[in-house]
Amino acid sequence: QKEVEQDPGPLSVPEGAIVSLNCTYSNSAFQYFMWYRQYSRKGPELLMYTYSSGNKEDGRFTAQVDKSSKYISLFIRDSQPSDSATYLCAMSANSGAGSYQLTFGKGTKLSVIP
Amino acid sequence: GAVVSQHPSRVICKSGTSVKIECRSLDFQATTMFWYRQFPKQSLMLMATSNEGSKATYEQGVEKDKFLINHASLTLSTLTVTSAHPEDSSFYICSARRTPFQETQYFGPGTRLLVL
């Protein structure tokens, strides 16, 4: 079993739809959870960062973490064509050496159709 | 804030040559930088962790003599692909953390390497 599982998609939605992206993980030591957005041929851009369980909202984006289920989600409201990108979940734990290496999901490719 | 740059953005070279890629944190000091490689339609694979002033830590399967990493200052890390071969063609991305205790990473725009 991989440490982080993410459906690669592709996922196509009409403009204005609510998008739900998810990741599951197996390592209970993960405490820090991030969502990155990566446009084609560009580096990942940090979208959301959450520590431990709970919800976090930033504009049209909401991140949810359920540590009991080892499940994290990213919701995008009122999706726009400019949201079309690959979304990567990432998570880390305190390795004891303070390195906090990130473990990434494979990424979900999202297309928002005008 | 938290801007990371990479240079060059794209490089084409002949097989057997060496290529140097620079990663700079523009508005913060990065004690730790990371180098990733990403193949088409794949996720990021960590190659090595670079700490300023010390030797890099390489992931299993990454040849340290082939991928030379230097982190000489708090704002600059370099990756040199020595004696590049076509199988080294990939998208190389660096990231940086502000301090040893910051959990998030900020990524550069990536460098696309094509070895002919």
Side-chain angles (χ1 to χ4, degrees), chain A residues 8-37:
Chain A
L11 178 63
S12 291
V13 300
E15 184 175 354
I18 296 175
V19 176
S20 172
L21 304 167
N22 313 292
C23 288
T24 59
Y25 62 95
S26 58
N27 187 348
S28 58
F30 287 140
Q31 301 169 285
Y32 308 96
F33 304 91
M34 286 138 275
W35 286 95
Y36 287 87
R37 177 175 62 195

Side-chain angles (χ1 to χ4, degrees), chain B residues 77-94:
Chain B
S77 177
T78 60
L79 168 69
T80 302
V81 182
T82 62
S83 186
H85 288 93
E87 58 265 30
D88 298 323
S89 299
S90 187
F91 192 48
Y92 292 87
I93 311 174
C94 71

Side-chain angles (χ1 to χ4, degrees), chain A residues 50-66:
Chain A
T50 309
Y51 170 68
S52 193
S53 286
N55 294 359
K56 186 173 185 177
E57 188 173 320
D58 184 1
R60 297 185 294 111
F61 298 90
T62 300
Q64 289 185 350
V65 175
D66 182 349

